[in-house]
C-alpha cells in the first residue's frame, strides 16, 4: 500500500515561546497564520531561600528541544512535511537573567527570575522594604526579592539627577530589570566572579541563552539578543540602540560579557541539532513585544493588553520615544530588520489580574476553579455597589503607593459572593482603564479600540465589562496565540527567509470577536469615579513594618 501523500501547505514557520511557567513550540502556516501544531512542557521553579525564585537554564533548554521534537512528531502524524519549516522565532520571558561558561556551555548559576510586574519610579519595587515573603495574591513565581539591597545601594550613588537611568533606558532603577540581578551575581557568586576574571563568562536573558545554545553552544554558538530584550536590561541606550558605557560603569558590568544587539528580524544562526537541524533562527522578541507584533499593532496609537497573572498593556508610539509623566515605562517595541526603523512603546502593567481569581479560590474559597468566577458574576450581573481594590502588595501605575493595601468596600447586608466575584472582574477592568488614561495623557492619542489576548480573555463577562468601563470596543483575535505568532512573523519576514510578508495588504485578515460598550457613557464614568474613591481609601494603609505584622 502506497504511503499517504504529504499535505502541501506552503512555507511553515516555528516559534519557541519560553514563558514564566512553561515552554512551547508552535508551527504556523506563513500564508494564513493558521496554527498547525504545538507542544508544551511545564517548567519548575526553585525556591532556594525565602523570597528567592530561580529556574534551571539547562531544564529550560531541554524543554525547548523536547517541544520541537514532539511538535515535529505531531506534524508527521498530520502528514505535514517538517522540511517545510523555513525559520524559527524566539519569544521569551524578559528580564530573567542567566550567566554561563562559554567554554563548557554550563550555566554558572540558576536563572534569576523577574517579579510579577515592574517596580515604581522609586528605587525599590512595591514590596515593603525588608519583606521577604511575597504578598498574598501576587505571583510568588516572579517576586524574587534578593536584589532589593543592591538597588538601595545603587540608588545612593546615582550620578547627577535621578533621571540618569530613566533618560537613557526609559526604565526606573528597580529590582525588576536584569542589570541589578547581574550585579547581584557578580557580588555574590564566586563561580561567576572567577569566570569573568578568566574571560569565560557570558550574560544573557533567556533569548540569548537559547539562541547561543541552539546555534552550537560552546562550538560556535551565536551570542546575541534583540533590541526589545536589550531594552529591558537597564544597560541599553534606547536612543543610540547600543550598550551604554556610562550605565555599564554605573552598574559595574564588563561590556565583554554582554551579547551583540541585533534587530528583531534577521538570521542569527542555524539550528545545530535535533529534528530541525539547519533551519535558521531569524526572529527574536521579548514576550510583550511579540504579542504587539502578533496583534499587528504596527501603527502608532495602537495598543494591546495581555491578561495573565497581571496585565501588560503596550501602546505603539511609532519611531519616537515618548517618556511618561504618569509612571509608565518607555521600551523598544520592535525593529523588524537590520535596515528597518526602530519602533517604541509605552508600557504599563496591572500587578493583580488573574491573580485576583486565584486569591478568591485559594484564600477565600468562594470558587473551586478559575473558570467559576464567570458563572458567579453572571448570576448577578452587577457588583451591587461593591468595589474591590486588590492592592495586595501596594498600588502600581499610575499611583506607585507601596503603603496601599487591598480593600473590599461598599458592602451591605445584601452583598454575597457573586457580587464580590463581579467586583473582582471589574477591578481588572478599572486598573486597565487607569493605565490607558495615563497612556492617553502621555501620547495625546485617544485609543479607538483595545486589542486583547491572554488566558483571561476567554471570560466573556470580563471582556464585556472592559468595553463598558473603557467605553471603547474591545477586540479579541479568534487565534489566541498572539505572542508565538509575533515571533513567527518576525522570523518568517527576515531577509534571507522572506516567507512572511508584513506589508499591510499581505497580512492575513484575522477573525476577531468584538465587544461593544453596552452601557451609556454617564454610567461608565460614575462607576469609574466610584472606583477611584475606593482606591483613595486603600492608600497610606501601612505606616510601619510592625503595623503590617499586627503589632500595635
Amino acid at each position: 500500500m502506497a504511503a499517504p501523500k504529504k499535505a502541501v501547505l506552503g512555507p511553515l514557520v516555528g516559534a519557541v515561546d519560553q514563558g514564566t511557567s512553561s515552554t512551547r513550540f508552535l508551527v504556523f502556516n506563513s500564508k494564513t497564520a493558521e496554527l498547525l501544531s504545538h507542544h508544551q512542557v511545564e517548567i519548575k521553579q526553585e525556591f532556594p531561600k525565602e523570597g528567592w525564585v530561580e529556574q534551571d537554564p539547562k531544564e529550560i533548554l531541554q524543554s525547548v528541544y523536547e517541544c520541537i521534537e514532539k511538535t515535529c512528531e505531531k506534524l508527521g502524524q498530520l502528514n505535514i512535511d517538517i522540511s517545510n519549516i523555513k525559520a524559527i522565532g524566539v519569544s521569551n520571558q524578559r528580564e530573567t537573567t542567566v550567566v554561563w561558561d562559554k567554554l563548557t556551555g554550563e550555566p554558572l548559576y540558576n536563572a534569576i527570575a523577574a517579579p510579577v510586574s515592574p517596580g515604581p519610579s522609586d528605587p525599590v519595587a512595591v514590596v515593603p522594604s525588608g519583606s521577604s515573603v511575597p504578598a498574598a495574591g501576587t505571583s510568588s513565581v516572579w517576586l524574587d526579592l534578593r536584589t532589593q539591597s543592591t538597588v538601595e545601594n545603587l540608588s545612593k550613588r546615582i550620578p547627577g539627577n535621578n533621571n540618569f537611568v530613566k533618560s537613557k533606558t526609559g526604565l526606573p532603577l528597580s529590582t525588576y530589570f536584569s542589570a541589578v540581578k547581574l550585579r547581584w551575581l557578580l557580588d555574590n557568586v564566586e563561580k561567576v566572579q572567577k569566570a569573568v576574571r578568566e574571560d569565560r563568562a557570558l550574560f544573557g536573558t533567556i533569548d540569548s541563552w537559547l539562541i547561543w545554545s541552539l546555534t552550537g553552544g560552546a562550538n560556535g554558538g551565536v551570542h546575541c539578543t534583540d533590541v526589545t530584550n536589550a531594552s529591558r536590561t537597564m544597560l541599553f541606550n534606547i536612543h543610540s540602540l547600543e550598550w551604554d558605557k556610562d550605565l555599564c560603569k554605573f552598574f559595574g558590568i564588563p561590556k565583554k560579557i554582554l551579547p551583540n544587539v541585533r534587530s528583531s528580524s534577521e538570521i542569527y544562526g542555524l539550528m545545530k541539532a535535533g529534528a530541525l537541524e539547519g533551519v535558521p533562527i531569524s526572529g527574536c522578541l521579548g514576550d510583550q513585544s511579540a504579542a504587539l507584533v502578533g496583534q499587528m499593532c504596527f501603527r502608532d496609537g495602537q495598543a494591546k493588553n495581555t491578561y495573565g497573572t497581571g496585565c501588560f498593556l503596550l501602546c505603539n508610539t511609532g519611531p519616537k520615544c515618548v517618556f511618561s509623566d504618569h509612571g509608565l515605562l518607555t521600551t523598544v517595541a520592535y525593529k523588524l530588520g537590520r535596515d528597518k526603523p526602530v519602533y517604541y512603546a509605552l508600557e504599563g502593567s496591572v500587578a493583580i489580574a488573574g491573580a485576583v481569581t486565584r486569591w478568591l479560590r485559594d484564600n477565600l474559597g468562594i470558587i473551586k476553579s478559575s473558570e467559576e468566577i464567570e458563572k458567579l458574576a453572571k448570576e448577578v450581573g452587577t457588583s451591587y455597589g461593591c468595589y474591590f481594590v486588590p492592592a495586595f502588595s501596594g498600588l502600581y501605575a499610575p499611583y506607585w503607593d507601596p503603603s496601599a493595601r487591598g480593600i473590599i468596600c461598599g458592602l451591605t447586608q445584601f452583598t454575597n459572593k457573586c457580587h464580590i466575584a463581579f467586583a473582582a472582574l471589574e477591578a481588572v477592568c478599572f486598573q486597565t482603564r487607569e493605565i490607558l488614561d495615563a497612556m492617553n495623557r502621555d501620547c495625546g492619542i485617544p485609543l479607538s479600540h483595545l486589542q486583547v489576548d491572554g488566558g483571561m480573555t476567554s471570560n466573556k463577562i470580563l471582556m464585556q465589562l472592559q468595553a463598558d468601563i473603557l467605553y471603547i470596543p474591545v477586540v479579541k483575535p479568534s487565534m489566541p496565540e498572539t505572542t508565538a505568532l509575533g515571533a513567527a512573523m518576525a522570523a518568517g519576514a527576515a531577509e534571507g527567509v522572506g516567507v512572511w510578508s508584513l506589508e499591510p495588504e499581505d497580512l492575513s485578515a484575522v477573525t476577531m470577536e468584538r465587544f461593544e460598550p453596552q452601557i451609556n457613557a454617564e454610567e461608565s464614568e460614575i462607576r469609574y469615579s466610584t472606583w477611584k474613591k475606593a482606591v483613595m481609601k486603600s492608600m497610606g494603609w501601612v505606616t510601619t513594618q510592625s503595623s503590617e505584622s499586627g503589632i500595635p
Side-chain angles (χ1 to χ4, degrees):
M1 192 174 141
K5 254 182 111 174
K6 297 277 187 188
V8 180
L9 294 164
L12 311 180
V13 181
V16 173
D17 182 13
Q18 208 298 300
T20 52
S21 58
S22 67
T23 299
R24 300 180 312 149
F25 185 69
L26 307 91
V27 173
F28 297 90
N29 183 332
S30 67
K31 298 303 172 203
T32 62
E34 179 194 357
L35 174 61
L36 300 174
S37 186
H38 75 283
H39 188 75
Q40 176 168 325
V41 172
E42 299 303 310
I43 301 289
K44 287 199 303 287
Q45 281 88 39
E46 297 178 23
F47 305 92
K49 285 189 184 179
E50 200 172 47
W52 290 24
V53 191
E54 299 175 0
Q55 291 179 307
D56 179 353
K58 289 175 81 172
E59 186 194 343
I60 292 173
L61 177 60
Q62 194 48 48
S63 72
V64 170
Y65 279 120
E66 185 182 335
C67 286
I68 290 173
E69 297 302 312
K70 290 282 197 294
T71 305
C72 288
E73 282 172 25
K74 290 177 185 177
L75 289 170
Q77 288 158 13
L78 294 168
N79 252 3
I80 296 169
D81 190 344
I82 62 169
S83 69
N84 283 329
I85 298 174
K86 302 301 181 191
I88 296 168
V90 175
S91 147
N92 58 290
Q93 43 168 312
R94 307 170 299 172
E95 295 96 17
T96 295
T97 299
V98 191
V99 179
W100 66 94
D101 187 318
K102 67 183 178 187
L103 301 182
T104 65
E106 290 293 308
L108 296 165
Y109 193 79
N110 274 342
I112 302 182
V116 67
S117 190
S121 305
D122 66 16
V124 187
V126 180
V127 178
S129 183
S131 163
S132 57
V133 183
T138 58
S139 164
S140 61
V141 178
W142 304 126
L143 233 105
D144 192 288
L145 306 174
R146 77 187 76 194
T147 54
Q148 280 195 356
S149 59
T150 307
V151 169
E152 283 163 358
N153 293 335
L154 286 165
S155 67
K156 289 172 190 157
R157 51 184 194 81
I158 291 180
N161 62 20
N162 279 344
N163 249 352
F164 169 70
V165 174
K166 192 173 180 185
S167 62
K168 289 169 176 282
T169 65
L171 310 172
L173 178 57
S174 161
T175 56
Y176 188 69
F177 306 105
S178 314
V180 288
K181 298 186 186 67
L182 181 51
R183 183 65 258 156
W184 185 91
L185 287 167
L186 290 166
D187 288 339
N188 294 282
V189 180
E190 200 176 318
K191 276 170 79 175
V192 172
Q193 296 163 355
K194 189 169 187 288
V196 169
R197 281 196 305 272
E198 294 172 5
D199 202 17
R200 289 183 290 108
L202 296 178
F203 152 80
T205 40
I206 294 293
D207 57 305
S208 298
W209 162 244
L210 292 180
I211 292 171
W212 183 84
S213 301
L214 296 172
T215 57
N219 300 310
V222 178
H223 187 217
C224 68
T225 187
D226 90 301
V227 287
T228 68
N229 282 296
S231 78
R232 310 294 292 190
T233 58
M234 258 187 335
L235 298 169
F236 185 69
N237 188 310
I238 59 173
H239 311 287
S240 64
L241 301 183
E242 54 194 15
W243 300 120
D244 188 286
K245 67 176 195 312
D246 295 334
L247 288 168
C248 289
K249 188 177 169 190
F250 172 64
F251 287 104
I253 307 295
K255 273 179 87 171
K256 64 184 179 183
I257 72 172
L258 303 179
N260 291 318
V261 183
R262 313 273 286 269
S263 77
S264 311
S265 176
E266 60 178 273
I267 295 175
Y268 312 114
L270 306 181
M271 287 285 290
K272 284 296 192 301
L276 299 180
E277 187 176 345
V279 175
I281 300 174
S282 52
C284 179
L285 289 154
D287 53 8
Q288 301 309 323
S289 286
L292 196 71
V293 170
Q295 287 270 26
M296 300 177 204
C297 293
F298 292 130
R299 293 195 310 276
D300 46 339
Q302 284 186 300
K304 69 90 199 170
N305 195 19
T306 299
Y307 296 76
T309 302
C311 287
F312 284 93
L313 216 151
L314 263 72
C315 179
N316 187 334
T317 62
K320 62 181 183 297
C321 238
V322 175
F323 282 89
S324 174
D325 295 322
H326 303 95
L328 306 178
L329 309 179
T330 304
T331 198
V332 175
Y334 53 79
K335 185 180 190 296
L336 295 172
R338 262 183 291 206
D339 305 323
K340 295 281 167 45
V342 64
Y343 275 66
Y344 296 95
L346 275 175
E347 178 173 326
S349 51
V350 170
I352 308 292
V356 78
T357 311
R358 277 214 306 275
W359 186 81
L360 292 176
R361 183 192 69 196
D362 300 343
N363 296 36
L364 288 198
I366 67 171
I367 53 173
K368 288 191 176 67
S369 69
S370 297
E371 293 70 40
E372 222 181 299
I373 192 168
E374 185 172 10
K375 200 166 104 237
L376 285 186
K378 199 173 185 176
E379 275 181 42
V380 285
T382 171
S383 67
Y384 198 69
C386 167
Y387 285 78
F388 184 169
V389 182
F392 297 134
S393 54
L395 285 167
Y396 288 69
Y399 299 103
W400 299 126
D401 180 5
S403 68
R405 284 297 171 270
I407 60 164
I408 301 174
C409 56
L411 300 175
T412 69
Q413 283 179 301
F414 180 70
T415 309
N416 63 31
K417 66 181 180 180
C418 299
H419 300 115
I420 290 171
F422 196 95
L425 293 181
E426 278 191 318
V428 175
C429 302
F430 286 130
Q431 291 178 97
T432 297
R433 167 139 184 206
E434 290 186 315
I435 303 282
L436 267 188
D437 281 1
M439 281 181 175
N440 287 341
R441 290 197 295 273
D442 286 326
C443 292
I445 315 168
L447 273 190
S448 59
H449 65 276
L450 179 65
Q451 290 169 230
V452 300
D453 55 68
M456 286 188 89
T457 60
S458 58
N459 185 323
K460 285 188 166 24
I461 296 227
L462 177 73
M463 293 295 96
Q464 185 56 55
L465 277 173
Q466 191 66 86
D468 290 345
I469 286 164
L470 294 177
Y471 213 68
I472 57 173
V474 165
V475 179
K476 176 194 168 190
S478 56
M479 206 286 290
E481 304 293 354
T482 51
T483 303
L485 178 62
M489 288 165 67
E495 191 182 335
V497 177
V499 297
W500 206 312
S501 170
L502 299 183
E503 295 304 319
E505 64 274 14
D506 297 329
L507 289 170
S508 313
V510 179
T511 327
M512 298 283 191
E513 192 174 356
R514 197 174 170 93
F515 297 85
E516 298 282 348
Q518 289 183 353
I519 60 175
N520 64 47
E522 190 184 1
E523 188 190 338
S524 181
E525 287 308 315
I526 289 168
R527 277 157 70 175
Y528 185 45
S529 62
T530 312
W531 157 264
K532 286 186 155 176
K533 194 160 76 174
V535 170
M536 293 303 149
K537 304 278 184 202
S538 78
M539 293 169 91
W541 196 263
V542 179
T543 49
T544 64
Q545 279 291 284
S546 60
S547 66
E548 188 150 24
S549 58
I551 300 163

